[in-house]
C-alpha cells in the first residue's frame, strides 16, 4: 500500500466519492472511516468535499474557513486541513440565503435561487482544480457528496455529487441508512433516477447503521444486486457514542437532545448539568463536545426558560444570526431567566455570537442590518459588526492554563470593564473576552478542548454552582477524539469489503456497469 496509487495508468492519486441516498445517511462518518483505514495501511490520503452547507466550521492554520466535518476527516487522515479540502462552504443566514465562502474566504451573500442560477456552475472548474491538486499530492482522495445525487432538480448545477465524479472520472459508492427504513428502495431509486452517464460511475452500495443479524439482510442484498448489477460492499453496524462533528444544526431539532457523554461515573460526588440554548442558526455547537467528554458532565440542548432551572452552567453558543438569536431569547423568556441566573451568581458562558449577546450594545449593519440593538447587558462589552470576517487560530492562557482556539466572526468586541479577561497572553495582557461575576464570554471556539483549562473552568463553575463536582484528572479530549476516529476505521476494516474499495480507489471506474431504467432525462 505504500507508494503512489495509479489511476488509468497516470501518476495521479486514486479517488472515490462517497454519496448518500439522503442527507445524514452517514457520508461524513464513512468518509472519515475510509480515511483512517487507509492511513493505517500507509496510504497518504486526504478528504475532499467540493461544496458543504454547514454552520459548523473550522479555521485552518493558513486562516481559511472550512467545514468542521472536513477538518475531522483530515484528522482521520492524519493530515493538516487546508482550504483545498472544502473549496466551497455555504453558511446559511436564513431559509433562503447563505454566505458563500470560497477557498476559505467569504465572497458574498447569495439567495439559493441566485446560487443555483449560475454561480454554482461557475465554481465547477475551481473545485475540480482543488481535487486535482489533492490527487497530485496524495496517494488517494476520498470525496464526500452532499444530500443525494438523485436530486434531479439540481443535477444541472451539481458540483458536489455526480458533477464532480463525472468531471474527475472517479467511482461512486452510495451509502444508505437502514435505521430509517426503506434502504433497498433508496438504493434502487437513487440509481434509477440517474442518467446513463452518471449511473456508469456508481460502483456499489454501503449499508449503514444496521442492527441485528446480517444474515437476515443477505437475501435482500442479493436481490438488489440482481436488480442493479451492483454489489453491496459492506454492512456497517449501528455504533453508539461516535461523537464526531456534525455538519449542520439546521435540519434536526436539538430541543431536549442530550450530547453523548463518556460512559463513566462522575469523579466527584455530583454531576454537573450544562444547558445549551439551541438558538436559531446555531453554529459550532461542537464546542460543547469537550464538556460532554468529561465524566459526570451532562450536556442538554434546551429552548425553554424552565429548562434552565436545574442547570449548573448555561451556554450561549455561536450563531450566524446574533440579533435574531437575541430576539428569540427574549421571545421565549430565556433572556430574563439568564439575567436572573447572573444576578444570583450562577454560571453563564457565551461563545462567539453568545458572547456578543451577553454584551451591552450591538451595532450591526452587516449580518442582520438591524443597526443599533441592545444586548443582554451582562458583560461590559460593545460589539460592532465589520464587513471583513475575523478568521484566526490564536493561543493564550486562561485560569493559569494554556489555551488554543479559533475565531470565526464579523463582530468586533470592545471590552470596557469586567473582573478579568477571559484569555490573556503570557504577560497577562488581555487577548479576548472577559468575566463579570459568574458570567464569562469569549470569541474563541474550541477553547474547551484544552484539557487543563477545561478542568480549571469546570472547577470554577462547580464552586459557583455549589456542586461537589470534581473534573477527572486524566481526561484527554484529543485522545478521545483519536479513539473515536480509530473506531470509524475499525468499522470499515471489519465490516466493509476493503479489497473491493481499494480496487475502486486504485483502478478507477469499473467497466460495464449496467444501466437501470428509467434514468434521468
Amino acid at each position: 500500500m505504500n507508494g503512489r496509487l495509479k489511476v488509468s495508468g497516470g501518476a495521479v492519486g486514486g479517488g472515490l466519492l462517497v454519496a448518500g441516498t439522503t442527507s445524514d445517511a452517514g457520508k461524513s462518518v464513512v468518509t472519515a472511516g475510509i480515511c483512517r483505514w487507509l492511513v493505517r495501511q500507509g496510504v497518504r490520503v486526504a478528504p475532499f468535499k467540493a461544496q458543504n452547507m454547514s454552520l459548523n466550521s473550522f479555521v485552518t492554520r493558513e486562516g481559511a474557513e472550512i467545514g468542521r466535518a472536513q477538518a475531522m476527516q483530515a484528522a482521520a487522515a492524519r493530515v493538516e486541513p487546508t482550504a483545498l479540502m472544502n473549496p466551497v462552504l455555504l453558511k446559511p443566514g436564513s431559509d433562503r440565503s447563505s454566505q458563500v465562502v470560497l477557498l476559505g474566504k467569504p465572497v458574498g451573500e447569495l439567495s439559493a435561487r441566485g446560487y443555483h442560477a449560475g454561480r454554482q456552475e461557475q465554481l465547477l472548474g475551481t473545485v475540480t482544480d482543488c481535487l486535482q491538486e489533492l490527487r497530485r499530492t496524495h496517494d488517494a482522495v476520498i470525496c464526500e457528496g452532499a444530500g443525494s445525487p438523485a436530486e434531479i432538480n439540481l443535477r444541472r448545477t451539481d458540483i458536489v455529487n455526480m458533477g464532480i465524479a463525472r468531471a474527475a472520472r472517479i467511482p461512486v459508492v452510495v451509502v444508505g441508512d437502514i435505521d430509517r427504513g426503506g434502504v433497498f428502495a433508496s438504493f434502487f431509486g437513487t440509481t434509477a433516477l440517474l442518467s446513463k452517464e452518471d449511473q456508469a460511475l456508481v460502483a456499489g452500495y454501503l449499508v449503514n447503521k444496521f442492527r441485528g443479524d446480517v444474515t437476515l439482510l443477505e437475501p435482500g442484498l442479493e436481490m438488489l444486486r440482481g436488480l442493479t448489477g451492483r454489489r453491496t460492499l459492506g454492512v456497517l453496524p449501528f455504533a453508539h457514542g461516535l461523537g464526531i462533528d456534525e455538519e449542520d444544526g439546521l435540519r434536526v431539532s436539538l430541543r431536549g437532545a442530550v450530547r453523548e457523554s463518556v460512559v463513566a461515573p462522575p469523579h466527584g460526588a455530583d454531576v454537573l448539568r450544562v444547558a445549551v440554548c439551541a438558538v436559531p442558526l446555531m453554529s459550532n455547537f461542537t464546542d460543547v463536545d469537550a464538556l460532554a467528554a468529561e465524566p459526570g458532565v451532562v450536556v442538554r440542548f434546551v429552548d425553554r426558560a424552565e429548562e434552565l432551572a436545574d442547570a449548573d452552567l448555561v451556554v450561549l453558543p455561536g450563531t450566524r444570526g446574533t440579533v435574531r438569536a437575541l430576539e428569540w431569547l427574549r421571545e421565549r423568556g430565556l433572556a430574563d431567566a439568564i439575567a436572573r441566573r447572573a444576578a444570583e451568581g450562577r454560571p453563564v458562558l457565551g461563545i462567539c455570537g453568545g458572547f456578543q449577546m451577553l454584551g451591552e450594545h450591538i451595532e450591526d449593519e452587516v449580518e442582520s442590518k438591524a443597526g443599533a440593538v441592545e444586548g443582554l447587558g451582562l458583560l461590559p462589552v460593545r460589539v460592532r459588526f465589520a464587513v471583513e470576517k475575523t478568521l484566526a487560530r490564536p493561543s493564550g492562557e486562561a485560569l493559569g492554563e494554556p489555551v488554543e482556539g479559533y475565531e470565526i466572526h464579523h463582530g468586533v468586541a470592545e471590552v470596557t470593564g469586567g473582573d478579568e479577561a477571559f484569555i490573556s497572553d503570557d504577560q497577562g495582557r488581555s487577548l479576548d473576552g472577559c468575566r463579570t461575576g459568574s458570567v464569562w464570554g469569549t470569541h474563541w471556539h474550541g477553547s474547551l478542548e484544552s484539557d487543563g483549562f477545561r478542568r480549571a473552568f469546570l472547577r470554577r463553575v462547580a464552586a459557583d454552582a455549589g456542586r461537589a463536582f470534581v473534573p477527572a484528572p486524566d481526561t484527554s479530549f484529543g485522545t478521545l477524539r483519536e479513539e473515536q476516529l480509530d473506531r470509524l476505521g475499525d468499522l470499515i476494516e471489519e465490516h466493509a469489503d476493503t479489497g473491493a474499495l481499494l480496487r475502486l480507489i486504485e483502478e478507477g471506474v469499473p467497466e460495464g456497469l449496467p444501466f437501470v431504467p428509467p434514468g434521468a432525462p
Side-chain angles (χ1 to χ4, degrees):
M1 295 290 291
N2 291 299
R4 300 294 286 158
L5 298 177
K6 304 290 183 179
V7 177
S8 302
V12 67
L16 181 71
L17 175 71
V18 178
T21 57
T22 62
S23 296
D24 202 34
K27 298 182 291 291
S28 296
V29 168
V30 169
T31 300
I34 294 175
C35 285
R36 177 49 60 100
W37 162 65
L38 283 172
V39 77
R40 293 194 307 206
Q41 311 306 310
V43 175
R44 292 177 296 170
V45 59
F48 177 79
K49 185 163 186 174
Q51 173 190 292
N52 195 350
M53 177 172 281
S54 179
L55 287 170
N56 284 333
S57 58
F58 183 75
V59 179
T60 67
R61 295 214 177 273
E62 69 267 28
E65 185 179 8
I66 66 172
R68 282 245 3 156
Q70 279 59 67
M72 176 269 295
Q73 291 161 356
R78 296 180 179 145
V79 295
E80 189 68 30
T82 74
L84 293 174
M85 297 172 184
N86 180 204
V88 181
L89 173 63
L90 305 178
K91 302 194 72 175
S94 70
D95 292 339
R96 298 194 175 188
S97 68
S98 294
Q99 183 181 66
V100 180
V101 179
L102 179 61
L103 293 174
K105 304 296 180 183
V107 294
E109 198 91 13
L110 278 179
S111 68
R113 180 175 293 276
Y115 184 67
H116 288 285
R119 177 67 170 173
Q120 191 175 34
E121 286 180 286
Q122 298 168 9
L123 295 173
L124 180 59
T126 299
V127 301
T128 303
D129 289 346
C130 290
L131 175 56
Q132 183 69 9
E133 177 61 18
L134 287 174
R135 294 179 73 185
R136 187 184 68 78
T137 54
H138 294 79
D139 298 327
V141 179
I142 309 304
C143 309
E144 179 188 346
S148 164
E151 292 166 352
I152 54 179
N153 56 315
L154 303 177
R155 175 60 186 90
R156 183 181 61 82
T157 58
D158 170 45
I159 63 171
V160 65
N161 289 306
M162 304 313 298
I164 191 69
R166 198 193 292 191
R169 292 299 301 169
I170 55 176
V172 178
V173 173
V174 181
V175 178
D177 178 0
I178 197 170
D179 200 49
R180 296 183 178 194
V183 74
F184 294 116
S186 298
F187 282 142
F188 181 85
T190 296
T191 308
L193 277 176
L194 300 178
S195 68
K196 184 175 182 180
E197 294 78 9
D198 286 349
Q199 284 192 30
L201 302 178
V202 176
Y205 310 112
L206 274 171
V207 175
N208 193 29
K209 302 181 188 177
F210 179 72
R211 308 172 193 250
D213 184 350
V214 73
T215 61
L216 298 177
L217 196 64
E218 288 170 352
L221 300 179
E222 284 302 312
M223 285 186 275
L224 180 67
R225 183 175 184 178
L227 289 166
T228 66
R230 291 158 174 86
R231 291 180 54 221
T232 297
L233 305 179
V235 177
L236 309 182
F238 193 100
H240 291 280
L242 290 176
I244 63 161
D245 298 350
E246 287 95 337
E247 273 193 349
D248 198 344
L250 288 180
R251 288 192 302 269
V252 182
S253 171
L254 291 171
R255 197 196 75 74
V258 178
R259 206 71 173 152
E260 290 181 335
S261 301
V262 174
V263 182
H267 191 70
D270 281 350
V271 299
L272 204 66
R273 296 174 177 84
V274 178
V276 184
C277 295
V279 297
L281 298 174
M282 182 167 51
S283 62
N284 286 66
F285 57 83
T286 49
D287 280 333
V288 300
D289 285 351
L291 295 178
E294 285 284 348
V297 176
V298 180
V299 178
R300 298 181 70 243
F301 291 91
V302 303
D303 65 359
R304 296 176 182 171
E306 57 268 27
E307 293 175 299
L308 304 187
D310 66 346
D312 302 306
L313 171 66
V314 170
V315 177
L316 288 179
T319 172
R320 175 83 164 86
T322 299
V323 171
R324 177 177 169 185
L326 259 176
E327 294 172 351
W328 181 86
L329 290 174
R330 287 171 169 142
E331 288 168 359
R332 290 176 171 263
L334 285 159
D336 289 340
I338 292 169
R340 286 194 297 272
R341 288 184 63 87
E344 295 165 359
R346 302 172 68 196
V348 177
L349 170 64
I351 302 174
C352 199
F355 170 43
Q356 296 165 7
M357 287 186 274
L358 290 172
E360 298 169 344
H361 185 77
I362 296 171
E363 288 284 342
D364 182 12
E365 299 292 350
V366 176
E367 189 176 77
S368 68
K369 298 181 173 58
V373 177
E374 294 306 306
L376 297 179
L378 301 180
L379 289 176
V381 176
R382 300 178 70 84
V383 176
R384 176 185 55 82
F385 275 70
V387 173
E388 185 175 353
K389 181 185 282 190
T390 297
L391 296 169
R393 286 277 294 274
S395 61
E397 294 183 0
L399 298 180
E401 299 287 346
V403 180
E404 294 183 351
Y406 56 99
E407 294 184 70
I408 307 170
H409 53 92
H410 284 279
V412 178
E414 178 191 1
V415 178
T416 60
D419 297 331
E420 63 178 315
F422 191 99
I423 300 171
S424 304
D425 64 14
D426 56 6
Q427 302 298 313
R429 293 172 297 213
S430 175
L431 291 177
D432 181 78
C434 66
R435 176 186 68 84
T436 297
S438 60
V439 181
W440 307 68
T442 178
H443 268 132
W444 290 21
H445 296 290
S447 62
L448 293 167
E449 295 180 18
S450 298
D451 297 326
F453 165 67
R454 181 181 64 255
R455 288 192 279 269
F457 177 69
L458 289 177
R459 282 192 289 269
R460 289 282 291 269
V461 167
D464 288 345
R467 290 284 186 186
F469 170 84
V470 179
D474 55 355
T475 302
S476 167
F477 184 75
T479 299
L480 290 172
R481 175 52 54 88
E482 274 296 298
E483 291 173 354
Q484 290 162 340
L485 294 174
D486 273 332
R487 289 180 63 195
L488 297 183
D490 293 343
L491 283 177
I492 298 300
E493 187 168 348
E494 297 169 7
H495 300 283
D497 186 339
T498 54
L501 290 175
L502 183 59
R503 283 191 296 275
L504 290 175
I505 295 167
E506 190 170 23
E507 299 173 9
V509 180
E511 296 292 332
L513 291 169
F515 173 68
V516 180

